[in-house]
Amino acid sequence: MSAGPRVIAAVLAGGVGARMGAPSPKQLLPLEGRPIIEHSIAAFEASPDVDEIVVLMVDEYVGRIEDLVAEAGFAKVSKVLPGGATRTDTSYAALTAMSAASDDDLALLHDAARPLVRPATIAACVSALGEAGAVGVAVPSADTVVRVVPGRSGGEVIAQTPDRSALRRMQTPQGFRLGVARRAYELAMADPGLVATDDCGVVLRYLPEEEVRIVPGEESNIKVTNPGDVELAETLSRRMRAHSAPMGRPISEVAP
C-alpha cells in the first residue's frame, strides 16, 4: 500500500446500461463466470498502490454488491453506496464518501464497466499524481474523427477533420488529488447548466488553470457498453492471461 498520501479508488456503477438491453445492470453480466463489476473491484483490490475502495451501485442492487464483496473477500472495500441519477452525480457521491480523507489524499474514479484495467495503468495514474493534480488515461485515436453539422438538404455533412495525431480516446481510471476534485465538483454541482461525461472534463471546465496530465492507456481496457462487448472482453481477458502465463506452463491451461 502507499507510503505517502492514501489512495482511494471508487468503482462507479451507478447506471443501468440501457444500450446493453439486458434485464439487469450491465455491471452484473457474467464475464468468465464472474460479474463484470467483480473483475473491476478485483483489479484495485490487487493493486499495491490502492489503500481503500468504495463502490457506487444502482440503488436497488446495493445489497447484492455487499454480498458479492463479502463472498469474494475484498478486504479493501470500505463502503457500497447508491449511485446517482447521472455519472456526474455518482462521481460526486463517491467524493462525498471520501469526506474523512485529506485534500492531499488521492482519488481514482473508475468505470465498473471497464473490467480489464491493468495494474500498470493504475500504477501510472498514482505515479503521475505525484506531479499533477488531475490525471486521465487515454489512447491514441486509430480512426479519423470528424466534426459534423446539419446539411443544407438534410442529414449531416463534414465540417472539419481535426488532426488525428492530437486526438485521444479517454478511459478510466481518472485520478485526482482530492482537493482538486472537491473544488471542481463544488463548482460543477452549483452550475445548473452542468453537462459532463467524465471527471477530467469537470476539472478542465471548472478549474481551467489546473493541468490535466495524460498517461497512456491500453486498447484492452474496453468499456462494456453494447451487446457483443462481453464476448470481446472475454476474448481479451483470455489473451491477457495467456501472455502473463509463467514460462513452461501450457497456454491451454490458462486460456481454454
Side-chain angles (χ1 to χ4, degrees):
M1 293 189 183
S2 60
R6 284 182 58 78
V7 179
I8 308 171
V11 176
L12 308 177
V16 296
R19 282 174 287 183
M20 186 62 71
S24 61
K26 64 183 178 182
Q27 301 91 342
L28 296 176
L29 293 175
L31 173 62
E32 295 196 300
R34 296 188 293 158
I36 286 171
I37 191 172
E38 184 173 341
H39 290 266
S40 299
I41 298 171
F44 293 92
E45 178 77 20
S47 171
D49 296 293
V50 174
D51 298 291
E52 180 183 350
I53 303 168
V54 296
V55 182
L56 284 294
M57 184 59 186
V58 180
D59 195 356
E60 63 189 283
Y61 292 91
V62 166
R64 182 165 173 180
I65 300 304
E66 288 175 334
D67 292 342
L68 180 154
V69 166
E71 291 168 6
F74 290 136
K76 293 182 183 178
V77 176
S78 61
K79 303 180 183 76
V80 180
L81 301 169
T86 66
R87 167 55 189 270
T88 304
D89 291 335
T90 300
S91 294
Y92 184 66
L95 294 174
T96 301
M98 303 176 193
S99 60
S102 161
D103 278 352
D104 294 326
D105 288 333
L106 310 180
L108 302 179
L109 306 183
H110 183 69
D111 295 326
R114 293 188 187 271
L116 303 182
V117 59
R118 290 178 181 267
T121 301
I122 297 172
C125 280
V126 174
S127 177
L129 286 170
E131 298 179 346
V135 172
V137 174
V139 294
S141 177
D143 299 316
T144 296
V145 178
V146 299
R147 186 175 67 82
V148 300
V149 297
R152 290 188 296 271
S153 58
E156 295 178 335
V157 297
I158 295 175
Q160 183 184 11
T161 303
D163 180 6
R164 188 174 68 184
S165 67
L167 300 178
R168 301 290 183 269
R169 292 182 287 113
M170 295 297 289
Q171 300 180 338
T172 65
Q174 295 184 355
F176 308 89
R177 295 181 190 173
L178 261 172
V180 170
R182 285 166 172 164
R183 290 197 305 275
Y185 266 90
E186 284 172 5
L187 294 169
M189 300 308 288
D191 180 2
L194 169 65
V195 177
T197 58
D198 78 325
D199 305 297
C200 284
V202 171
V203 172
L204 192 65
R205 177 172 178 177
Y206 294 97
L207 298 179
E209 73 283 359
E210 191 70 49
E211 185 176 76
V212 180
R213 182 78 56 86
I214 289 294
V215 297
E218 299 269 358
E219 290 290 349
S220 58
N221 187 18
I222 67 167
K223 186 176 183 181
V224 176
T225 302
N226 299 301
D229 288 347
V230 173
E231 183 178 352
L232 174 59
E234 290 193 336
T235 299
L236 290 170
S237 180
R238 287 194 294 269
R239 288 178 180 175
M240 288 164 65
R241 288 205 319 274
H243 291 159
S244 63
M247 293 296 292
R249 186 179 178 188
I251 293 297
S252 60
E253 291 182 16
V254 182

